[in-house]
Amino acid sequence: MRQESPVHFDEQRERWDLFRYDDVNRVLTDHDSFTSDRSRMGTASASDTEDGGSILQTMISVDPPDHNRLRGFVNERFQPGTLRDYQPRIEELTGTLLDQIDGTTFDFVDEFAVPLPVIIIAELLGIPAERRDQFKEWSDALIARPDDRSTTTVKQVRERRQQAQQEMGRYFAELLAERQNGTGDDLITLAATTDELTREEQIGFCMLLLLAGNITTTNLLTNALWCFEEHGITDAIRTGKIDRKQAIEEVLRYRSPIQSLDRIAVEDVELSGQRIQAGDVITGWLGAANRDPERFDAPEAFRPERSPNRHIAFGTGVHYCLGAPLARIEADVAFEMLLDRFETIEADLTDLQPIHSLYGLESLICHYE
Ligand code: HEM
């Protein structure tokens, strides 16, 4: 597609698909011509939003200048320098999770890659530990899609999603109210004490943080172990022969946890010779852009020492992932500690089941010693 029809109109989904790095990059960086505001989407994409729940205004769904206000108050907290101070705590939480793995076989997804990001973001937000299981249930319900393999209907998924959204909204509203005069350094207190946001926006912020960072980081961790096993480099990473951080960047490029992002054209524009009209919905395929031969040498090859590696797995432009530095630290600490803890670890790559939303696996069984 990248070669034959790089800017392609999908009649069924009634939207444009972009596959080239330069086109995806252009759409993500030109926020004047391509908006993130989903309320401006036409009927084509209504199915994404018509679950009856009100869509909370968050940084990810607005354009500048409002975007600056919704992101500006928290930006500093996610800078690599600020997060470095928090790294020992990430190590401690990762160690506790590893302590709970016993026997000689475990499911890497269920027992490690899923809980780790939830525990860390819950801690950063300042959620009491006893509510974390509930947290996971809510976030699963909010991202659930009807599944061909199960009997869940679209209606049931929507109802559960609405219910989770309401329960979570009420829960955050309570915590925000309790902490509005607080002095703690957790993110709920930060949101509750800023003058920049309305209470609704504060709730939206808390929910966004919970959703944006969980399944994405789970997929990064899972895809990393999958790639390392597939290419037989787990030991080379353990011994430092291959740089861990660089290998993780290549996983982000090669198996990007988020494969696509949507935007809406706000004016008529031309993209690689195609005329796009105001109101048209555009899907930029990060996964395809990250394998564009115009941008990457041997893009279909997994090269753990690829450098430079200017992938756009975290997006680009004003909406560039707020949590990218956190996700990088989590993945780095996770593999450093996991490979240190287990002398050998072998992932079973037979019969892998991809997850339905995003790019990751349902489970990844590992044998270790
Ligand atoms: C935005 C990917 C982890 C919070 C984004 C975007 C991408 C992305 C592609 C751009 C969305 C757009 O342009 O519409 C990822 C990946 C992750 C990850 C691949 C893990 C490997 C995290 C974590 C957090 C987080 C751990 C928070 C704790 C956010 C937020 C935004 C965002 C708040 C919205 C930023 C804005 O609109 O200004 N992420 N993310 N992400 N991400 Fe992440």
Side-chain angles (χ1 to χ4, degrees):
M1 284 306 261
R2 202 187 298 107
Q3 256 184 343
E4 281 154 28
S5 184
V7 177
H8 174 84
F9 190 72
D10 181 334
E11 303 280 346
Q12 243 181 358
R13 292 162 62 240
E14 291 183 50
R15 52 175 74 192
W16 293 94
D17 288 311
L18 307 185
F19 301 104
R20 277 194 190 143
Y21 187 100
D22 286 349
D23 291 331
V24 176
N25 191 52
R26 148 108 200 264
V27 165
L28 297 182
T29 44
D30 183 358
H31 53 77
D32 287 332
S33 309
F34 304 97
T35 178
S36 291
D37 182 351
R38 307 180 87 194
S39 64
R40 292 168 80 168
M41 281 192 178
T43 47
S45 59
S47 59
D48 287 349
T49 55
E50 68 184 4
D51 52 15
S54 62
I55 296 173
L56 290 165
Q57 173 106 323
T58 67
M59 67 181 96
I60 207 164
S61 56
V62 298
D63 304 314
D66 238 10
H67 174 263
N68 310 351
R69 179 177 64 82
L70 293 175
R71 177 163 171 156
F73 82 101
V74 68
N75 243 341
E76 207 270 319
R77 290 294 185 99
F78 282 89
Q79 295 305 311
T82 317
L83 288 169
R84 221 167 285 134
D85 294 342
Y86 188 66
Q87 183 158 334
R89 182 69 185 135
I90 295 182
E91 287 165 2
E92 203 178 319
L93 292 167
T94 308
T96 309
L97 197 59
L98 286 172
D99 290 344
Q100 288 162 16
I101 295 173
D102 58 7
T104 53
T105 300
F106 74 109
D107 183 347
F108 180 79
V109 178
D110 257 9
E111 294 176 53
F112 189 70
V114 167
L116 187 65
V118 180
I119 292 169
I120 292 171
I121 196 64
E123 172 102 359
L124 278 172
L125 280 163
I127 301 286
E130 62 275 13
R131 293 307 293 255
R132 286 181 195 161
D133 285 346
Q134 172 77 71
F135 228 57
K136 164 86 180 63
E137 257 175 55
W138 284 332
S139 66
D140 283 350
L142 286 175
I143 55 161
R145 300 246 168 244
D147 186 338
D148 300 339
R149 289 167 305 171
S150 82
T151 50
T152 355
T153 62
V154 176
K155 189 163 166 263
Q156 282 168 329
V157 169
R158 281 198 189 134
E159 280 171 2
R160 181 68 198 105
R161 197 186 305 163
Q162 250 177 292
Q163 193 192 345
Q165 188 168 335
Q166 282 163 4
E167 285 172 9
M168 219 166 139
R170 274 198 298 272
Y171 178 64
F172 280 127
E174 257 172 50
L175 286 186
L176 286 159
E178 279 170 21
R179 297 183 195 177
Q180 65 193 0
N181 298 317
T183 52
D185 65 359
D186 60 277
L187 293 175
I188 294 181
T189 304
L190 178 75
T193 52
T194 177
D195 299 333
E196 297 288 321
L197 270 58
T198 63
R199 181 50 53 85
E200 278 280 290
E201 289 168 345
Q202 294 169 0
I203 296 172
F205 163 76
C206 295
M207 282 166 79
L208 173 65
L209 275 210
L210 176 63
L211 293 182
N214 285 352
I215 187 147
T216 46
T217 311
T218 296
N219 291 350
L220 171 58
L221 298 172
T222 308
N223 295 352
L225 190 59
W226 177 11
C227 290
F228 298 166
E229 180 74 33
E230 194 175 48
H231 295 89
I233 58 168
T234 314
D235 277 335
I237 290 178
R238 183 200 318 275
T239 57
K241 222 172 138 208
I242 290 181
D243 183 79
R244 200 172 49 239
K245 289 188 172 66
Q246 242 175 350
I248 289 167
E249 292 306 308
E250 180 66 345
V251 173
L252 282 159
R253 183 196 72 83
Y254 186 76
R255 291 204 165 111
S256 308
I258 293 187
Q259 286 282 302
S260 66
L261 295 173
D262 289 347
R263 294 291 188 267
I264 305 121
V266 287
E267 56 195 13
D268 293 358
V269 270
E270 203 181 291
L271 263 182
S272 292
Q274 294 281 10
R275 188 112 203 101
I276 301 203
Q277 290 182 342
D280 285 358
V281 181
I282 299 156
T283 299
W285 289 92
L286 302 178
N290 283 337
R291 291 189 182 207
D292 186 340
E294 299 276 318
R295 200 71 191 191
F296 301 95
D297 287 341
E300 298 301 330
F302 179 79
R303 290 188 175 164
E305 292 175 290
R306 187 182 288 276
S307 176
N309 189 349
R310 298 201 181 91
H311 64 75
I312 47 171
F314 288 117
T316 179
V318 294
H319 292 284
Y320 178 77
C321 178
L322 175 74
L326 177 63
R328 285 184 163 124
I329 294 179
E330 284 183 35
D332 188 44
V333 167
F335 280 96
E336 181 181 19
M337 295 186 68
L338 184 86
L339 299 183
D340 186 51
R341 183 72 64 105
F342 304 131
E343 240 168 70
T344 64
I345 177 160
E346 260 173 52
D348 181 351
L349 301 187
T350 51
D351 197 25
L352 296 177
Q353 301 291 330
I355 52 167
H356 270 228
S357 55
L358 312 181
Y359 190 3
L361 297 172
E362 290 283 356
S363 82
L364 184 57
I365 304 300
C366 293
H367 310 281
Y368 66 90
E369 274 171 26

